[in-house]
Amino acid sequence: MNVQCQPLVAALVHQQLLGLYTLQTTPFLDIFADYQSCAQQSRDTEVRLAQLDKEAAELRDENAALHRRCTLQDEAFAPEVIAQGVAAVARVPVLEREVAGLYKDQARVLGELVAAQTALRLATEATDRSQGELRQARADIVTLQEEVRATLALLELEGRSAAEATGELASSLTAREAAVSESERLRGDNGRLATRLMDLKEKEVDRMNEMNEQHEAVLAQAKAIRQEAAADLEAAQMIRSRLAPAAPGPSPGSNPSDAAPGPSPSNLSASQQQQQQSGSASDPPGHLTQVLDAAAARRQCRGEGRAADTESADPHRDGPQGRGRLVASCGMDRSVSLWDLDSLDTASAPTQQLAGMAGAVNDVAFTSDGHQLIGAGADKSLVVWDVLSGQSRHTMTGHSAAVTGVAASPLESRLAASCSDDRSFKLWDLARGFCLKTMPCTKMPTALTMSRDGNTVVTGHVDGSLCLWDVRQCRGGSASPLGELREGMQAITCVTTTVSDSVMLACTKDGVLRLWDYRSSIVLRTIKHASFTVGTVGTIGRGRNHVGLSAPDGRFLAAGAADGGLFGGPPGGGGGGGALLLQLHKEAAVVAGWSADGGVLMSGDKAGVLAFWRLA
């Protein structure tokens, strides 16, 4: 690849590279020279050693020859040698004195030699240091010279750049003036377009208002038709109840789910007969004593628990299921309201308002001791309130999407479970506000509940399946359900426990209620009605509602209908059997339930209306 470069920059880079090469290679030149000298000396030493080995061999031969000659001469000249030895012995003391003097002279000379070698070594080291400093100074001088040349080149380049920038600034100012004028023209055009758009919007609003008025008129006509049909049905039921004081139970081979609405031996129909016979009008059983309209937000009721323990949610979660004298309702107003069932006759406002959510509250649940209330929010969090003080104790986060359901353990007041649109459910430690475990789901969960023994979490999913999860295994790290139940392909809209430890009630999008024995994985009973369409809230395809069972015996169920009525009956097929349809609301009823003593029937619709029926 060819790169265009100015000659000055190329020369500068070349000089810098040469300096860098010199700086990096110079320290190693002496080392390489020393190494070559040492190698040459080593080779010379090896040659010398070979010569010395040869000479040593010759000397050994000569020594052997001399030794033989000495032996012969010793034998020949032994007498002379002995005489000479005697003379030598006599001269030994003199020679020893001379040798001692020579040793002293040698020691003195060796000391002088060591001192001279030490002085020579110090002088050599000083010379080496001076040479190193000299080389470093020369390298610094070269580096400074290169830096000076580079600085001069950069100054020249900066001068040219400043001149070019001045020219560009002048052209930019000219372009800015042209852009300002163009902006003024466009602003005027935008104002005219905005005025025209507002005119078009006003015309569109007028057309939409006309369409809404026509739609309201059609809805009013349809509601009137439904009310007339309901009145005819109720009149027919009253006539049949007078003609037949007791209704026969279903035959062994019949299906109670196919029975048409008729006289029911439930507490409600019996109370209506007593009212008709006595003619009393002072708060009779079965009379709608209060309809509380939380108009600021859509509200529903849901509840379960002991004293002071009833829960509810907005149009995205439903269910009053009374377990005490308090009902908790939640909705789009980001708050939870507590209603006292004992004061409904004299008050039409909640006894307490709990705040703390940043978005809509989709579901609420009381703990098993009734001291805390848990709210599931569309802001991906859960809030735990103290029921007595109304203060928030914990804000629990961890879900990555809206929390759509929450359930508290019936036995352990510090344990709760929640499901979310992030395809998971979580187990929570309410005492610490801490997530114990996150369990991913392969299918979108739409509802959940906990078994009466607190050991099993049941999740309902959009594909119509129910998954069973063991709480102990989940807390231990297991990521798979115990089993899966399925009957049909419609989305699960609600799942709730019954009075039996192993039986639960599930409602699907097509309005079919099923009693499941999840230990044996069989459907005990299917409950449906030809004229019943379940009322749900939520997105298309996976709506939610709440079905309530009467406490403490679970003899009757209640479910909201899409036409604003309530569908009721005995879930187990006993107690005299048929279904009961009551018209309560103007909008779709999405939540229904009972108080703890079975004396109050509660319901809520999409419009945010809460209805409380005193039945006993």
Side-chain angles (χ1 to χ4, degrees), residues 352-405:
Q352 195 172 8
Q353 201 85 9
L354 307 179
M357 281 289 189
V361 188
N362 291 335
D363 197 5
V364 288
F366 281 93
T367 56
S368 59
D369 57 5
H371 294 163
Q372 298 180 99
L373 180 67
I374 315 162
D379 59 353
K380 310 176 187 178
S381 68
L382 294 97
V383 176
V384 181
W385 288 280
D386 183 87
V387 174
L388 295 179
S389 63
Q391 299 296 319
S392 172
R393 297 189 59 184
H394 301 293
T395 297
M396 304 183 297
T397 59
H399 283 295
S400 59
V403 186
T404 55

Side-chain angles (χ1 to χ4, degrees), residues 399-435:
H399 283 295
S400 59
V403 186
T404 55
V406 62
S409 172
L411 298 181
E412 190 174 354
S413 61
R414 61 183 295 170
L415 179 64
S418 65
C419 64
S420 169
D421 283 343
D422 60 4
R423 291 179 178 265
S424 71
F425 79 91
K426 293 180 181 288
L427 296 177
W428 301 92
D429 184 348
L430 301 181
R432 297 183 296 167
F434 181 76
C435 177

Side-chain angles (χ1 to χ4, degrees), residues 240 243-252 254 256 259-260 262-265 570 573-579:
R240 284 196 296 269
L243 295 178
S251 61
S254 63
S264 172

Side-chain angles (χ1 to χ4, degrees), residues 14 52 61 84 186 263 275 277 284 289 300 359 465 481 498 529 558 561 575 577:
H14 179 67
L52 291 176
D61 295 339
Q84 291 177 359
L186 292 176
Q275 176 189 355
Q277 294 173 1
T289 58
Q300 309 151 19
S465 62
T498 65
H529 195 276

Side-chain angles (χ1 to χ4, degrees), residues 490-537:
Q490 293 292 327
I492 300 294
T493 60
C494 173
V495 57
T496 184
T497 56
T498 65
V499 295
S500 175
D501 292 338
S502 63
V503 179
M504 61 185 173
L505 178 65
C507 180
T508 54
K509 184 73 173 179
D510 56 358
V512 178
L513 303 170
R514 293 181 177 90
L515 284 173
W516 282 92
D517 187 334
Y518 60 84
R519 291 181 180 173
S520 58
S521 301
I522 61 174
V523 177
L524 300 178
R525 188 185 180 209
T526 299
I527 306 169
K528 59 184 178 180
H529 195 276
S531 60
F532 171 65
T533 302
V534 65
T536 60
V537 293

Side-chain angles (χ1 to χ4, degrees), residues 43 71 96 132 358 387:
R43 289 191 295 270
T71 302
E96 287 180 351
V387 174

